[in-house]
Amino acid sequence: MDEIHRFNKSQQDLFLPYVEQGLVQLVGATTENPSFRINNALLSRCRVFVLERLTDENMRAILERTLQKVVPNSHSEPPRAGTPEPPASSPLTTDRLHSVSDNILNAIVRYSQGDARTALSLLELAINAPPSTNEETLLKNLKKSVVARFDRTGDDHYDMISALHKSVRGSDGSAAMYWLARMLTAGEDPLYIARRCIVMASEDIGLANDRALPMAIAAYNACQIIGMPECRINLAHLVAYLAESPKSTRSYEAYNRAEEAAKEDPAIPVPLNICNAPTGLMKELGYGRGYLYNPSYAHPVHNDFLPLQYKQERFLREEGDVEGKVWDEDLLRQWEYMDNNGGDWEGRSKVEKTGAIELLERLSPKLGFLGFSNSQRWKMKYSMQQKAGWDVTTVVAPLSYPPIQYHVADPAAIKFMTGNRVLFPKPIEMYDLLMLYGDNLLTTEGETWSRHRRLANPSFAETSIRYVWEQTLRILDEMCDDWGEDSTKEIPHMAELTKEITLLILGAVAFGQETHWESGPGIPPDGHKMTFRQAVGIVSERLPLRVALPSWLWGNKETRDRMGSGGIASWGWLGSTIRDSAIGYAELQQYMEEMMEEQSKVGFEGRRDIFSQLVQATGEDVHDRLSTKDVIGNTFIFLIAGHETTAHATAYLFGLLALEQETQDELYDHIIAVLGDKQPTYEDIPRLDLVLAAFYEALRMYPPVLNIPKRATEDTSIPVMPAVRDNGDQIDPLAKPQSLFVPKGTEFIMYTGSLHYNPRYWKEPYSFKPKRFLESDWPRDAFIPFSSGARACIGRRFAEVECIGMISMLLKRFRITVDENRFPTILNETPLARRERLFESFQALSLTPKRIPLVFTRR
């Protein structure tokens, strides 16, 4: 069937049953695109063969063979044996025949565009031209006789407008002008081109040039008024303007993101605070309540305009935000060489300064790639792996360290890495800034780490753990007495309270300095500018500032004296903070040096604090001791690790109990069943297993450390499991566990934020269920809040005992609720959304809650 596209859809359907039954062998020919002109059902039962254009060599051979037949004396190759002579009556063998030059043949090949019929027609025109016609005139006549290849309803129509659009998008004005001319000379409707340019003005230029859209509409009106051929000038003006305009797809992409969200859940109600309230009844029902009329204020005010489910979404991104954009250095260099005269792209320096770009490309044939900031990764949790399809994903962030990482949420892979310390050591250079006072367990590796661990182990023996328990109960008793008999106690931020509690406990446990809850800051002793308690507080609170600022702002006693005497200016709040922090760090070092000197005189007998234990620690050789610097360095790191991680974890736990009142009641009943009316004792700890389980569940849901780094020291491979859905079913049922090759030097992040929410191991991972840790087969390999393997936290038992004491003492005496005045309820807010709003967090040294306001009501 020639020209099969001329059959309409209904007529084509007549072929279908006969083709399916094999009664008809259908052979069709069409010059149209079968994807658009042939029924899908019929097309799916046929094989499509594309007849490509003839090459220039093919065309030349056809023309030369034709010339040999009709012009025997031409300059073409001699006739082949057996070639019949042309008939005597042929009109092409008359006296008008003359030789056709190479220039004419080349022009015919070029003008025919791979169509042999067009080439033969042009050849006939050339042969029949009068002998007096010169070559230049003949070439012009041939060119005029060629009809431009263009179909206003077929592929050419769409291909050329696509070429114009892409040329404008790529800011290639020359290419855009060429395709505009091709369409207009072929007879394209200028209004169609103008309409497409209006789309370009918003889609591709957008917010980068607000004049583009009015310009495009003006050009469209000009085409309507003037018409061809003059309106081609208006279109050329518009196309050049659009091509040279800066480009921005912010609004276009923002709508696409918003549309996807709108389609995902079209039933989300409008937040009441921005609903219209035209009647008194609607106002009483809460319509419009809480809305702040912006023009009434002399300063910006905050309103929640999005539904709670999308409160954190940024549909319209900031100008210059390249999150999610691909960075391909090879393609950029190619553009710089081809289109920028070899010069550097001006945006390079901007990207390097802002550090905003994170590459999105596929670095492994198995693993999807995801590039996100720390806060984004924490919000996504295991959905990173679900999008990639595997429990190990590749993350590339060229302006962070390390720039390329494998994020691991696979317990088998983590167990393999932590069990092979030589093959997967910790990249200790990442911890150099924590060597403020000297080497310590966190900043060393290999034999040095083993020696520190061996000598530090006795400091965490049973006697020390009992000392932690005693100090926890002492501080909690003093705090509750200080609160008095008030029926309620409002806590604006729970983490501030837990940090104060843990700081007092650690002051005693780490240094042997037993201070009291109600005692004030006190007076610094001679030779000091701060009390010990003030120095410990500053050191534990301001480590992020200490790490962030340059080393010349800090130092030893000389630096402290210089800053204290005004040698370094105080620049307002920041300057005074830096000055006080530098003094605090120097003061703590001086205190510890004085403690070592004093205790070396009076002895350490009977002391149970970590500092004293480290000073006394010896190996098999009596001379195998930690140096003064090592003792101070390890004590400092135990202070930092024990203070912030325990304080934040218990703050999250108190907040979870305030939200989950039924779970709080179960925990209270458990504590009463174990303790009755008596004070908890050290021997009660094993029986308070549900309290420990609740602490573990808080650590699972809000792990203090999200990123645990490792590095491969040689080529190896790690096991990788396919990702699973929220219900635990595998996303790809056919996917099998794989072995991923990793070359030497590969950087890994054991990412607790994904591992602790992996549904393969944690059923309903977003639910607060402490009892899951009472099951005998709970997934221990998928729980690493204290790291894993030999490098697991040496002070884990300290944190557990401290939390058991804190929760038991406070929950036995108080009911804990959310402070509704500081954290009001939002109508129709889901429990999960309320929890995420209450626990909005950021990653500093550890996962840190911004604010958890609670109320303690005496039972």
Side-chain angles (χ1 to χ4, degrees):
M1 302 296 299
D2 194 17
E3 304 291 348
I4 191 172
H5 61 272
R6 296 190 181 278
F7 288 91
N8 61 35
K9 300 290 185 178
S10 299
Q11 292 168 334
Q12 290 179 31
D13 285 340
L14 294 175
F15 292 110
L16 191 59
Y18 302 101
V19 171
E20 286 182 328
Q21 297 173 29
L23 299 176
V24 171
Q25 291 185 345
L26 177 64
V27 179
T30 177
T31 56
E32 302 290 332
N33 188 331
S35 298
F36 302 118
R37 302 302 296 271
I38 307 299
N39 277 2
N40 289 335
L42 185 60
L43 186 62
S44 67
R45 290 162 176 78
C46 300
R47 292 187 63 187
V48 177
F49 298 91
V50 179
L51 303 182
E52 302 288 353
R53 296 180 182 183
L54 296 175
T55 64
D56 289 352
E57 291 76 12
N58 298 146
M59 298 295 297
R60 180 81 184 208
I62 291 172
L63 293 174
E64 289 179 350
R65 284 201 300 271
T66 303
L67 277 175
Q68 183 60 37
K69 290 181 179 181
V70 299
V71 188
N73 62 343
S74 71
H75 62 279
S76 303
E77 62 182 28
R80 300 173 183 173
T83 301
E85 293 293 328
S89 59
S90 171
L92 299 180
T93 59
T94 63
D95 293 340
R96 290 176 296 167
L97 291 176
H98 59 82
S99 177
V100 179
S101 68
D102 280 336
N103 286 341
I104 298 296
L105 285 180
N106 290 336
I108 292 174
V109 169
R110 189 167 62 254
Y111 296 154
S112 59
Q113 301 181 44
D115 189 331
R117 291 178 296 183
T118 300
L120 292 175
S121 297
L122 293 175
L123 180 62
E124 181 178 4
L125 182 63
I127 293 174
N128 285 331
S132 59
T133 306
N134 59 42
E135 186 175 91
E136 183 179 356
T137 303
L138 182 57
L139 287 172
K140 290 181 180 179
N141 292 336
L142 290 175
K143 189 173 183 179
K144 289 179 180 179
S145 65
V146 176
V147 177
R149 183 180 180 276
F150 187 78
D151 183 353
R152 290 179 58 179
T153 61
D155 284 355
D156 290 337
H157 169 77
Y158 296 105
D159 288 344
M160 288 193 187
I161 196 65
S162 175
L164 173 62
H165 194 153
K166 289 179 172 65
S167 299
V168 169
R169 181 181 295 145
S171 298
D172 191 331
S174 297
M177 206 61 68
Y178 171 76
W179 294 115
L180 172 65
R182 279 286 301 273
M183 284 189 288
L184 290 177
T185 56
E188 181 60 86
D189 181 4
L191 291 179
Y192 170 75
I193 300 174
R195 285 194 297 271
R196 188 60 173 263
C197 287
I198 293 175
V199 175
M200 296 179 207
S202 289
E203 178 181 342
D204 298 290
I205 287 83
L207 299 175
N209 183 358
D210 293 332
R211 297 178 59 188
L213 183 58
M215 178 82 168
I217 294 174
Y220 178 85
N221 292 334
C223 291
Q224 279 187 315
I225 297 170
I226 299 174
M228 284 292 285
E230 287 83 359
C231 74
R232 75 189 191 284
I233 303 171
N234 305 112
L235 286 175
H237 181 186
L238 173 62
V239 166
Y241 183 83
L242 296 179
E244 293 188 353
S245 287
K247 306 298 188 294
S248 170
T249 57
R250 286 174 60 210
S251 57
Y252 175 64
E253 292 175 352
Y255 178 79
N256 289 339
R257 284 188 285 266
E259 182 181 53
E260 183 179 353
K263 290 179 178 179
E264 184 177 344
D265 190 350
I268 296 177
V270 177
L272 278 182
N273 66 301
I274 55 174
C275 284
N276 186 31
T279 68
L281 175 61
M282 296 176 76
K283 290 179 180 179
E284 290 178 6
L285 293 175
Y287 284 65
R289 182 182 301 163
Y291 171 68
L292 304 177
Y293 183 61
N294 300 72
S296 296
Y297 295 86
H299 52 78
V301 292
H302 173 73
N303 282 298
D304 287 326
F305 298 110
L306 279 170
L308 185 63
Q309 293 87 331
Y310 298 109
K311 183 179 178 181
Q312 303 300 327
E313 290 292 335
R314 292 183 302 127
F315 297 117
L316 181 60
R317 304 280 171 83
E318 296 293 329
E319 181 66 37
D321 186 345
V322 291
E323 178 185 312
K325 306 292 185 182
V326 175
W327 180 284
D328 191 312
E329 184 67 22
D330 291 337
L331 292 179
L332 175 56
R333 290 189 181 277
Q334 180 188 31
W335 176 86
E336 289 172 337
Y337 176 76
M338 299 291 292
D339 299 329
N340 207 41
N341 297 321
D344 285 348
W345 172 51
E346 62 181 7
R348 273 188 183 277
S349 58
K350 180 179 179 182
V351 170
E352 290 168 358
K353 288 178 181 178
T354 61
I357 190 163
E358 292 184 346
L359 311 185
L360 287 178
E361 61 187 8
R362 192 164 294 274
L363 296 184
S364 164
K366 300 176 185 176
L367 305 179
F369 167 87
L370 296 167
F372 299 98
S373 66
N374 272 332
S375 60
Q376 289 172 315
R377 285 196 291 269
W378 165 240
K379 289 176 182 177
M380 294 185 71
K381 299 181 176 63
Y382 186 72
S383 64
M384 284 197 305
Q385 282 67 31
Q386 290 175 321
K387 289 185 178 181
W390 296 89
D391 280 355
V392 178
T393 57
T394 308
V395 175
V396 179
L399 300 176
S400 64
Y401 184 85
I404 302 176
Q405 309 164 350
Y406 282 107
H407 275 223
V408 184
D410 188 321
I414 290 174
K415 190 173 183 179
F416 175 72
M417 287 191 290
T418 56
N420 292 272
R421 285 180 43 228
V422 176
L423 187 58
F424 295 99
K426 173 190 286 189
I428 58 175
E429 70 276 4
M430 296 176 63
Y431 297 85
D432 285 348
L433 290 172
L434 295 179
M435 297 174 62
L436 302 178
Y437 293 110
D439 286 344
N440 53 70
L441 273 172
L442 195 61
T443 62
T444 53
E445 188 56 273
E447 290 300 321
T448 305
W449 174 85
S450 297
R451 177 174 173 271
H452 278 264
R453 179 83 180 209
R454 183 179 68 253
L455 293 175
N457 265 335
S459 304
F460 296 86
E462 188 71 17
T463 55
S464 299
I465 296 173
R466 185 181 289 271
Y467 188 43
V468 172
W469 175 260
E470 293 170 0
Q471 294 304 309
T472 301
L473 266 59
R474 178 181 67 82
I475 297 299
L476 267 296
D477 272 335
E478 292 178 355
M479 185 191 76
C480 291
D481 290 343
D482 183 60
W483 284 4
E485 296 301 320
D486 293 342
S487 59
T488 61
K489 182 69 175 180
E490 295 180 358
I491 309 298
H493 185 13
M494 191 63 204
E496 294 298 328
L497 176 64
T498 54
K499 282 193 290 186
E500 181 66 19
I501 295 171
T502 54
L503 184 62
L504 292 174
I505 295 171
L506 284 169
V509 173
F511 303 102
Q513 301 290 319
E514 296 186 6
T515 52
H516 299 282
W517 177 264
E518 69 277 4
S519 62
I523 300 174
D526 293 341
H528 289 275
K529 296 190 176 182
M530 287 184 179
T531 64
F532 178 80
R533 179 173 175 177
Q534 288 173 323
V536 170
I538 283 179
V539 168
S540 60
E541 289 286 338
R542 298 184 183 175
L543 183 60
L545 184 67
R546 174 65 181 84
V547 171
L549 294 177
S551 59
W552 58 267
L553 285 173
W554 312 89
N556 52 20
K557 185 175 183 295
E558 288 73 24
T559 300
R560 179 204 66 201
D561 292 339
R562 185 171 68 252
M563 298 184 80
S565 61
I568 296 180
S570 175
W571 308 295
W573 172 86
L574 179 60
S576 61
T577 301
I578 295 173
R579 185 186 64 245
D580 292 344
S581 301
I583 294 173
Y585 275 90
E587 284 283 348
L588 182 60
Q589 180 171 345
Q590 184 179 352
Y591 272 115
M592 288 191 284
E593 290 172 351
E594 291 172 352
M595 288 163 57
M596 289 187 70
E597 182 179 352
E598 179 183 353
Q599 291 175 13
S600 64
K601 296 177 182 178
V602 300
F604 297 92
E605 188 172 350
R607 296 187 65 90
R608 293 182 290 172
D609 57 278
I610 293 175
F611 185 78
S612 299
Q613 297 284 338
L614 290 175
V615 172
Q616 299 178 80
T618 59
E620 295 180 1
D621 182 352
V622 70
H623 300 293
D624 183 13
R625 292 177 175 273
L626 293 173
S627 67
T628 300
K629 196 172 183 180
D630 291 341
V631 170
I632 295 175
N634 277 294
T635 307
F636 161 73
I637 216 67
F638 296 147
L639 167 67
I640 296 302
H643 177 232
E644 187 164 298
T645 56
T646 306
H648 291 167
T650 50
Y652 283 119
L653 176 53
F654 279 115
L656 287 166
L657 293 172
L659 290 172
E660 305 280 349
Q661 288 293 312
E662 290 186 8
T663 305
Q664 182 181 159
D665 290 341
E666 290 179 3
L667 194 56
Y668 170 74
D669 292 341
H670 168 75
I671 294 170
I672 294 300
V674 173
L675 301 180
D677 294 331
K678 71 180 182 68
Q679 184 88 334
T681 64
Y682 186 74
E683 287 69 27
D684 291 324
I685 293 176
R687 296 196 297 149
L688 292 168
D689 54 352
L690 186 57
V691 181
L692 180 61
F695 180 50
Y696 279 1
E697 181 71 338
L699 288 170
R700 182 192 69 81
M701 299 180 72
Y702 298 92
V705 180
L706 297 177
N707 305 295
I708 304 173
K710 292 288 183 181
R711 176 183 295 149
T713 56
E714 58 184 69
D715 293 352
T716 185
S717 60
I718 61 172
V720 181
M721 291 291 290
V724 296
R725 303 182 192 280
D726 291 342
N727 61 4
D729 294 338
Q730 200 163 283
I731 293 175
D732 182 357
L734 301 179
K736 303 294 183 184
Q738 306 240 359
S739 181
L740 174 68
F741 171 77
V742 290
K744 177 182 178 180
T746 300
E747 305 282 353
F748 293 91
I749 293 293
M750 299 188 297
Y751 192 63
T752 56
S754 297
L755 176 67
H756 287 186
Y757 284 82
N758 189 331
R760 186 190 299 276
Y761 308 98
W762 304 104
K763 185 179 180 181
E764 299 181 31
Y766 287 88
S767 298
F768 178 56
K769 294 185 174 183
K771 288 184 177 179
R772 70 171 90 229
F773 285 94
L774 298 180
E775 300 172 1
S776 60
D777 59 345
W778 67 269
R780 289 167 173 79
D781 291 338
F783 181 66
I784 58 169
F786 303 100
S787 191
S788 180
R791 290 206 68 121
C793 178
I794 193 173
R796 173 175 182 165
R797 191 59 179 158
F798 276 22
E800 293 173 351
V801 168
E802 187 178 337
C803 181
I804 291 174
M806 200 183 305
I807 296 296
S808 300
M809 290 282 286
L810 290 179
L811 204 59
K812 187 171 182 287
R813 303 182 187 190
F814 298 93
R815 173 173 290 279
I816 307 162
T817 55
V818 176
D819 189 339
E820 294 290 342
N821 293 324
R822 292 184 171 92
F823 189 79
T825 301
I826 296 178
L827 188 65
N828 297 326
E829 185 177 33
T830 65
L832 178 59
R834 179 172 169 79
R835 189 178 76 202
E836 292 302 309
R837 183 164 63 93
L838 178 63
F839 293 155
E840 186 177 357
S841 306
F842 62 94
Q843 177 73 27
L845 291 178
S846 64
L847 190 65
T848 305
K850 290 185 176 179
R851 189 186 63 153
I852 304 178
L854 302 180
V855 175
F856 284 67
T857 304
R858 192 172 290 275
R859 295 183 183 273

